[in-house]
Amino acid sequence: MNDKLPNYWPMPPFLNISEEERAAFLLRRFQGLKDHEIAEVQGATRETVNRRISRFLAKVRELRAACPDNRELIDRLISSEPPSKQTDK
């Protein structure tokens, strides 16, 4: 992938969230990029970026609904840092 993408750990395969979906979300949420900027970084169209982010958010909502007791873990899985670098509150 492009060297402008955030340095993050891969998603566990059972979550069914693609690297492109997560990267689009992270670039928007944590790096503040606009959709056209994400599209340039990912080599995709703005529409593709919007679909990736929408799919990412839908999958996270579905996962949260299915596992309400694990919301904190789910939030850590989608964050920009690996768990080993995060601090507990």
Side-chain angles (χ1 to χ4, degrees):
M1 293 196 100
N2 191 306
D3 62 351
K4 292 183 182 178
L5 294 179
N7 183 17
Y8 58 87
W9 59 294
M11 294 298 296
F14 66 87
L15 294 180
N16 196 30
I17 295 174
S18 74
E19 292 297 321
E20 293 81 10
E21 291 166 350
R22 183 167 185 240
F25 171 79
L26 293 175
L27 288 167
R28 180 191 278 173
R29 176 67 59 91
F30 296 106
Q31 295 192 7
L33 296 184
K34 306 280 188 217
D35 289 353
H36 71 276
E37 295 169 317
I38 298 168
E40 185 178 318
V41 169
Q42 291 191 326
T45 66
R46 288 171 66 174
E47 293 78 17
T48 297
V49 168
N50 283 324
R51 278 193 300 272
R52 287 175 178 168
I53 293 171
S54 293
R55 281 194 306 258
F56 175 88
L57 293 172
K59 290 174 184 179
V60 169
R61 280 191 299 272
E62 183 179 319
L63 184 59
R64 283 180 170 167
C67 307
D69 294 339
N70 293 317
R71 290 187 117 204
E72 185 178 334
L73 174 61
I74 293 164
D75 290 344
R76 284 183 173 208
L77 288 172
I78 65 169
S79 71
S80 62
E81 293 184 70
S84 62
K85 292 189 178 183
Q86 295 178 350
T87 58
D88 293 328
K89 293 181 181 177

